[in-house]
Amino acid sequence: MTVIDLRSDTVTRPSAGMLAAMTSAPLGDDVYAEDPTVNQLEETVADLLGHEAGLFTVTGSLANVLGVRALAPPGTEVLCEASAHIARAELGAHAAVSGVTTRTWSAPAGQIDLEQVRALIAPDLGPYFVTTAAVSVENTHNFGGGAIQHGFDALADLLDEAELPLHLDGARLWNASVASGVPVAAYASRAAAASVCLSKGLGAPVGSVLVGSAELIREARVWRKRLGAGWRQAGVLAAAGLYALEHNVDRLAEDHANARLIAAVLADAAPGSVKPDQVETNIVVADLAATGRSVAEVVEAARAEGVLVGGVGATQLRLVTHLDASTADCRTAAQTLARLLTS
Ligand SMILES: *Cc1c(COP(=O)(O)O)cnc(C)c1O
C-alpha cells in the first residue's frame, strides 16, 4: 500500500539533487567556524532575512531557545499567543533551560491581538512583578492552521514604541512570504531574533537558522555549545539547506494550492469543519466536533487506508501539505477522509 503522509511537512526525504549537493559539499569543523558550507548557509540566510549574522542549529526548538534567551534574562517573561510553539510544543524549554516564563494572549488562528498585547506588557516595577522582556510571534502560526500574521507590522511598531524586542518564530516564514508576497526580510528584519526551519516545507532533512545581530549570534553560539549542540562537519546538512533555498521556495505555492484543495473537499463532505477561505498556506485544521466522529477514530481509519494525518486538540485533525505529496496524493487523501466522515 502506498502511504500518503500528511502528518507534517517534516516528513519529506531529501531528493536525489539534494543528496548530491550534500555529498559534494566542502566541509570543515564548525566548532572552529571552519566549515565553509555552514558558513555559507549562515551568511545566506542572514542576508535573506536582513540580519547581520546567522547560526545553524539542529532544530527549530533549539533556535528558539537560543533566540529567546538572548532577549530575555532569567526571571523575566516573554509574551506570546496561547498556542504558540514556544509555549506548547517545546516541552517547557524556555522555563527549564533559560528560566524564562511566558504569559499569553489568545486569539483565533493564533493571530496577534494588539489590545491584548498592550495590556499584558509589564514594565519593570521593581521587585514585585515579573518584567516583560520580549514578545514572540509565530509566522505562519502552526496550531493556528498555518495562518499568516496580518498584524505583524503594527505589533512591531508597538514594540518599537515600548522599546521591547520582538522574537519571530519563523519556522514557516517562507510559507508566509510566498503566500502574502511580503519578502521574508520585511518580516524578519523587524525582529531582534528570528528563527527559520529548513526541515519543514523546504524539504531539508535537518536544520534551522537563528538570525540576529553579530553580538546576539556570538552569544547564541556560546550557548549552543554549552547545551551540547556544537557540531563538526555539519556542512553535509547545511548543503541540504542551501539546496532547499535555491530549489524549494517558490514551489511552496503548490503546497498552498494543495491545502486549499483538501479544504474544499473536506468542507464539502463535512460542512463547517473547515473554512477553505481561511486556509492561507500549507496547513489544514479540520474540526470534527459536528461530525460525531472522534479524532482518534478518524486517524486510525485513515491510517488503515494508507492516509496519515495528525490530531491536534480534542476535536481537530491537522493535515500538512509538502513537496513529497503531489496534488493527486492530496486529492486522494482528502477524498478518503471525506468518505470516512460521511459513511
Ligand atoms: C516545527 C516548528 C518549530 C521547530 O520544531 P523542531 O522540531 O524543533 O525543529 C518551531 N516553531 C514552529 C511554529 C514549528 O512549527
Side-chain angles (χ1 to χ4, degrees):
M1 181 167 64
T2 54
V3 171
I4 302 169
D5 191 347
L6 299 179
R7 288 171 301 171
S8 174
D9 44 8
T10 55
V11 301
T12 56
R13 312 287 162 85
S15 63
M18 184 178 278
L19 284 169
M22 294 169 76
T23 54
S24 62
L27 304 176
D29 189 325
D30 181 53
V31 170
Y32 297 122
E34 285 174 4
D35 188 298
T37 310
V38 171
N39 293 344
Q40 191 192 337
L41 175 71
E42 291 176 343
E43 281 162 29
T44 302
V45 175
D47 278 353
L48 280 169
L49 299 185
H51 279 269
E52 266 175 10
L55 183 70
F56 186 37
T57 60
V58 65
T59 60
S61 297
L62 180 59
N64 284 341
V65 164
L66 298 175
V68 166
R69 72 150 307 290
L71 304 179
T76 65
E77 71 182 8
V78 171
L79 307 180
C80 63
E81 201 276 329
S83 59
H85 198 277
I86 67 160
R88 283 201 62 206
E90 294 175 7
L91 305 179
H94 303 273
V97 176
S98 308
V100 172
T101 54
T102 50
R103 273 191 308 141
T104 58
W105 72 89
S106 198
Q111 288 296 311
I112 290 162
D113 181 323
L114 278 188
E115 286 323 303
Q116 290 189 57
V117 176
R118 210 191 298 274
L120 282 169
I121 290 174
D124 185 350
L125 293 175
Y128 310 105
F129 295 105
V130 180
T131 302
T132 304
V135 176
S136 180
V137 165
E138 193 171 308
N139 199 14
T140 64
H141 198 294
N142 182 351
F143 299 125
I148 297 166
Q149 294 290 351
H150 297 285
F152 189 85
D153 276 328
L155 175 68
D157 291 344
L158 170 72
L159 296 183
D160 282 348
E161 221 172 278
E163 295 182 13
L164 278 177
L166 174 63
H167 170 261
L168 170 60
D169 178 351
R172 295 188 180 81
L173 193 64
W174 274 285
N175 294 87
S177 170
V178 166
S180 66
V182 175
V184 280
Y187 292 120
S189 64
R190 302 293 316 259
S195 64
V196 288
C197 282
L198 303 163
S199 60
K200 296 272 165 80
L202 296 197
V206 169
S208 282
V209 179
L210 173 71
V211 298
S213 68
E215 175 61 29
L216 183 145
I217 293 300
R218 207 173 306 120
E219 195 190 317
R221 195 178 292 279
V222 171
W223 272 92
R224 185 187 63 172
K225 182 72 165 64
R226 188 168 281 143
L227 294 172
W231 45 8
R232 305 296 178 173
Q233 287 73 38
V236 209
L237 300 170
L242 285 164
Y243 181 94
L245 287 171
E246 198 169 318
H247 295 91
N248 294 344
V249 173
D250 293 341
R251 63 151 308 286
L252 290 172
E254 293 169 37
D255 297 344
H256 301 168
N258 287 339
R260 285 194 296 275
L261 173 114
I262 290 171
V265 172
L266 294 182
D268 227 26
S273 62
V274 189
K275 297 199 179 71
D277 59 346
Q278 286 179 9
V279 174
E280 296 181 310
T281 60
N282 71 325
I283 300 178
V284 181
V285 174
D287 198 314
L288 304 187
T291 67
R293 306 297 161 90
S294 77
V295 168
E297 174 191 2
V298 174
V299 167
E300 263 327 294
R303 177 182 284 273
E305 301 204 26
V307 175
L308 306 187
V309 297
V312 283
T315 62
Q316 294 175 329
L317 279 187
R318 189 184 75 153
L319 297 89
V320 187
T321 60
H322 54 75
L323 80 174
D324 283 354
S326 67
T327 301
D329 289 339
C330 291
R331 187 178 294 112
T332 302
Q335 286 167 346
T336 302
L337 284 171
R339 182 160 39 73
L340 293 172
L341 291 175
T342 51
S343 60

